[in-house]
Amino acid sequence: MKSLYRRQFAMMAAVILVAFLLLGGAFALLSYQYIVQDKQDSMERNANYIANFTASYLTSSMASGIQDPGYQLYIASLANISGSTVLLAENSGEIVYASSGMGENVSALLSGMVPGECMNAINSAGSYSGHSSLDGLLPDKSFVTGVPIRQSSYITGNIYQRGVVLVVSGASSLTTMWQDLAAIFLLSATAVLLLASAASSVTSLRQTKPLKDMAEAMRRFGQGEFDARVTGCEGRQDEVGELAEVFNAMAGSLAKSEAQRSEFIANVSHELKTPMTTIAGFADGILDGTIPREKEAEALSTISSETRRLSRLVRRMLDLSRLQSSENVTAQERFDVCELLLRVLVSLEGKITGRGLDVETQLPEGSVMVWGDPDAITQVCYNLLDNAIKFAFTGTALTLGVQVKGEKAYVSVRNLGDTIPPEELKEVFDRFHKTDRSRSVDREGVGLGLYIVKTIINNHRESIAVTSEDGVTTFTFTLTIA
């Protein structure tokens, strides 16, 4: 398995090498062109100077030709100063004089011939510049620059070509420069690669350690250790820190869901066990004659009540399964939410009267048409109103309201009872959550009613909120105006 460190280091090393190759190649090319051009310009200036000096020297009345020791000493000095070899040749190409400032033996050059292409270039273009060995006259290819020696005729005054001057400079200096550049390049590339390796090791370790911790936490999660969390990323302000934070949040949510599932199983087991035990006990009592005939009607009434209780539990479970099904699609119809709320109120009139509660309505005049699934919203209103009835203080009033704001209708259900603690307000819509556990048996609930409400509202792409202050608890949800 390839690790992230190896991939990152290979990518970084490849990028650095490519960058160095491109920069080194561009720098070498530009340096070569600049140095070669500068060298050729310098050699051409020297060649022109020697040609002009030679022409002046030969036309001087005191001149005795290029064999004059003074002339040769001067040309040798110029050759030594410029570090080049100076050749003088006749128009035919025959070399008649050679002086080297590079310490080379020039005797082999004397009486040699300058190649025809070089002479043709000087005769036709007025100069020659190139990289040549002069057809083997030079031991290695060197930079060669040639210019003509032009004199003025004593008789006619016309300018004619007396010969040519060739200035030769070796390429050893450039070779040395390339070697130095290569050494600098390799040294720099090695240093940068070492630094990149160290930086890559640090950054890769910083990136991969949290990922390994997450993988280990996931393994522990899979083995049932729901308290596993990723630590050490609390101060990171990057994507890895964000991923660790999201993972911990997910782990907390899963752990909470697992705790709620266990609680739900316990609650359902309790809710199922109690009525089933009661039903079995009274049924056996009737069958074996333990219960007298005059009390059989009372026993059958208890069996019927417990059966309905089981039916409510099963119905809630089926509603929850249907709402969580991926096939559940919320129908969109126009309906009057005020009329729907009043119908729900009438259906619960018996419970309201039994609890000794009053009802106050704050509904607008006329209809409030909204979009949604009437059956689902009916269930929402029923659950909220039934919940308000259960937890309202006897003798207080329930308040039902509908208010239109912009494109939304706000439906509210309010009761007066115990204040829900702030830490539990954010949990009232969770599955299996029961605010009042001490009276859960009497209240006939398993903590699914408000979760079903939240699920239906979410399916409608609407919102629901709850507030509880000074004993006044209000649930408010929204619907889109049609």
Side-chain angles (χ1 to χ4, degrees):
M1 181 178 67
K2 292 185 178 179
S3 64
L4 289 177
Y5 168 74
R6 291 181 179 177
R7 292 179 179 177
Q8 183 172 348
F9 178 77
M11 181 181 67
M12 186 177 296
V15 170
I16 291 174
L17 287 176
V18 171
F20 264 87
L21 288 174
L22 292 176
L23 291 175
F27 177 75
L29 180 62
L30 291 176
S31 299
Y32 176 82
Q33 292 179 344
Y34 174 79
I35 293 173
V36 169
Q37 187 62 45
D38 183 70
K39 192 174 188 66
Q40 289 176 342
D41 291 343
S42 177
M43 292 171 61
E44 188 171 353
R45 285 194 301 269
N46 292 338
N48 284 322
Y49 178 81
I50 294 174
N52 293 333
F53 175 76
T54 302
S56 299
Y57 191 84
L58 292 176
T59 57
S60 173
S61 59
M62 300 178 60
S64 58
I66 61 174
Q67 301 302 325
D68 182 74
Y71 171 82
Q72 294 185 358
L73 179 61
Y74 185 74
I75 297 301
S77 299
L78 293 177
N80 287 327
I81 293 173
S82 62
S84 57
T85 299
V86 177
L87 303 177
L88 298 180
E90 298 289 351
N91 289 331
S92 61
E94 181 183 357
I95 299 174
V96 295
Y97 175 77
S99 177
S100 175
M102 299 182 291
E104 297 178 354
N105 184 11
V106 296
S107 58
L109 297 175
L110 296 176
S111 300
M113 298 294 294
V114 178
E117 59 176 349
C118 179
M119 294 299 299
N120 292 335
I122 295 174
N123 294 332
S124 59
S127 65
Y128 169 81
S129 182
H131 194 223
S132 172
S133 64
L134 298 180
D135 287 349
L137 288 177
L138 303 175
D140 300 305
K141 282 190 174 183
S142 302
F143 294 101
V144 179
T145 298
V147 297
I149 302 174
R150 291 190 173 92
Q151 284 185 279
S152 177
S153 174
Y154 285 110
I155 301 174
T156 62
N158 295 330
I159 302 298
Y160 67 98
Q161 183 172 312
R162 176 67 179 80
V164 297
V165 174
L166 299 177
V167 176
V168 179
S169 181
S172 59
S173 59
L174 288 177
T175 302
T176 303
M177 184 193 71
W178 302 139
Q179 293 175 348
D180 293 341
L181 284 176
I184 294 173
F185 172 79
L186 292 176
L187 181 62
S188 301
T190 302
V192 172
L193 283 175
L194 291 176
L195 291 175
S197 176
S200 178
S201 299
V202 174
T203 56
S204 297
L205 181 62
R206 181 174 171 80
Q207 291 176 358
T208 56
K209 185 179 183 301
L211 299 179
K212 292 181 178 179
D213 293 342
M214 291 179 202
E216 179 60 27
M218 290 178 185
R219 293 190 191 97
R220 293 171 57 191
F221 237 92
Q223 297 171 358
E225 299 181 32
F226 298 107
D227 59 342
R229 297 293 185 274
V230 179
T231 59
C233 300
E234 292 77 7
R236 294 186 63 143
Q237 302 295 325
D238 55 8
E239 291 80 358
V240 175
E242 183 180 359
L243 179 61
E245 181 180 354
V246 172
F247 174 83
N248 287 336
M250 179 197 69
S253 177
L254 291 176
K256 183 178 178 181
S257 296
E258 177 62 20
Q260 290 175 339
R261 185 187 66 82
S262 300
E263 181 182 353
F264 168 71
I265 293 175
N267 288 340
V268 170
S269 299
H270 175 75
E271 294 293 334
L272 290 174
K273 178 182 178 181
T274 302
M276 291 177 68
T277 301
T278 302
I279 292 171
F282 278 96
D284 290 342
I286 293 174
L287 291 174
D288 61 17
T290 304
I291 299 176
R293 285 188 175 274
E294 62 272 15
K295 293 186 177 181
E296 285 184 359
E298 182 181 350
L300 290 174
S301 177
T302 302
I303 291 175
S304 176
S305 176
E306 293 300 313
T307 302
R308 285 194 297 271
R309 183 178 174 186
L310 281 175
S311 178
R312 285 194 299 271
L313 176 60
V314 172
R315 187 170 59 251
R316 283 293 177 90
M317 294 298 297
L318 290 175
D319 289 342
L320 180 60
S321 176
R322 177 178 57 85
L323 290 172
Q324 291 179 329
S325 172
S326 59
E327 298 178 356
N328 179 58
V329 179
T330 301
Q332 290 293 314
E333 301 178 17
R334 293 177 74 252
F335 62 93
D336 184 359
V337 67
C338 295
E339 180 183 351
L340 182 148
L341 192 59
L342 291 175
R343 285 202 307 268
V344 173
L345 181 62
V346 171
S347 69
L348 290 170
E349 184 178 0
K351 286 189 176 182
I352 295 173
T353 303
R355 292 275 296 156
L357 302 174
D358 293 329
V359 177
E360 297 179 0
T361 58
Q362 298 176 353
L363 305 177
E365 296 181 2
S367 301
V368 178
M369 303 303 295
V370 296
W371 286 108
D373 182 349
D375 293 337
I377 299 302
T378 297
Q379 185 174 6
V380 169
C381 295
Y382 185 93
N383 287 1
L384 290 178
L385 189 56
D386 184 60
N387 194 69
I389 294 170
K390 289 178 183 179
F391 291 98
F393 290 154
T394 302
T396 60
L398 302 176
T399 302
L400 307 181
V402 176
Q403 187 176 10
V404 177
K405 295 181 180 179
E407 297 181 354
K408 295 290 184 180
Y410 291 79
V411 182
S412 60
V413 178
R414 182 183 302 116
N415 74 330
L416 181 62
D418 291 328
T419 301
I420 302 176
E423 62 273 12
E424 289 194 16
L425 277 178
K426 59 184 179 181
E427 299 177 353
V428 295
F429 295 109
D430 291 347
R431 287 179 299 176
F432 325 126
H433 179 77
K434 300 178 69 177
T435 303
D436 192 349
R437 293 180 174 82
S438 64
R439 292 179 286 174
S440 62
V441 175
D442 297 334
R443 298 281 160 79
E444 300 179 344
V446 290
L448 294 175
L450 291 180
Y451 176 74
I452 291 174
V453 167
K454 178 71 171 178
T455 303
I456 292 174
I457 295 300
N458 287 343
N459 288 344
H460 280 73
R461 303 294 189 270
E462 301 290 349
S463 62
I464 185 169
V466 58
T467 60
S468 185
E469 295 179 357
D470 301 326
V472 179
T473 301
T474 305
F475 285 85
T476 304
F477 65 91
T478 64
L479 291 172
T480 302
I481 296 295

